[in-house]
Amino acid sequence: MATSESVYRAIAEHDVVFRSDCPSRPILDQIADKWSMMVMAVLTEPRRFNEIKRRLDGVTQRVLTQTLRRLERNGMVERRVLPTSPVGVEYSLTPLGESLREPFAHLYDWTIANAAEIQARRRDYDRRAPRKPATSNPTSSRAS
């Protein structure tokens, strides 16, 4: 398997174009999604839907449901119906999902290590960036 450094070097040397039909695109879209990453981080052990939701401040029920379905469809998460009354469901990582734990940990560590610098650069950019003039609403100036 190629290392990320050799992959980046090959891209630079061969002018690789990231084609719109590349099979990696929908996978990267899924795993790079913030809610997918957070759901997978929370699944250190099998958890029920509401337990996952409580651990992800700000996620809506709809978004969490969609995220879990996409993760299940892509083989990252397994959904298991529990023989309880009322029926319960729990989610857990599959071996494929578990294999993302280490790369996610590196990405998370990088994020924490660089958060202050990124926030400072955002503030600097926002101070320098030209402001768009406010546009008037053409319907608000109509005579009655």
Side-chain angles (χ1 to χ4, degrees):
M1 176 187 259
T3 65
S4 59
E5 185 178 320
S6 65
V7 169
Y8 291 131
R9 189 172 38 255
I11 289 169
E13 291 172 358
H14 301 344
D15 285 333
V16 171
V17 175
F18 293 98
R19 296 175 42 105
S20 62
D21 62 348
C22 179
S24 68
R25 281 195 173 189
I27 298 166
L28 286 171
D29 182 49
Q30 165 76 67
I31 62 175
D33 172 73
K34 73 175 179 182
W35 292 119
S36 294
M37 291 183 78
M38 287 190 243
V39 164
M40 292 176 72
V42 164
L43 289 176
T44 55
E45 62 187 30
R47 298 192 192 278
R48 290 181 175 219
F49 182 92
N50 285 328
E51 188 178 357
I52 298 168
K53 189 172 184 317
R54 279 192 299 274
R55 291 171 173 262
L56 299 176
D57 192 31
V59 71
T60 64
Q61 183 162 337
R62 180 177 168 267
V63 168
L64 181 55
T65 298
Q66 290 171 339
T67 300
L68 286 165
R69 283 183 184 155
R70 281 196 333 265
L71 287 168
E72 183 182 10
R73 181 173 183 247
N74 287 329
M76 306 292 173
V77 167
E78 178 179 54
R79 178 181 183 268
R80 187 169 73 104
V81 177
L82 301 172
T84 58
S85 182
V87 174
V89 175
E90 72 177 11
Y91 298 88
S92 59
L93 291 180
T94 63
L96 187 60
E98 284 283 349
S99 73
L100 279 172
R101 218 177 253 301
E102 185 178 347
F104 276 177
H106 290 296
L107 182 58
Y108 181 77
D109 291 345
W110 180 91
T111 303
I112 297 304
N114 293 284
E117 181 178 349
I118 292 168
Q119 290 169 343
R121 289 179 181 247
R122 283 180 177 175
R123 285 189 300 275
D124 291 346
Y125 176 86
D126 291 345
R127 280 193 289 271
R128 291 188 326 267
R131 303 280 191 256
K132 289 185 179 182
T135 58
S136 61
N137 184 346
T139 58
S140 64
S141 60
R142 288 186 187 157
S144 304

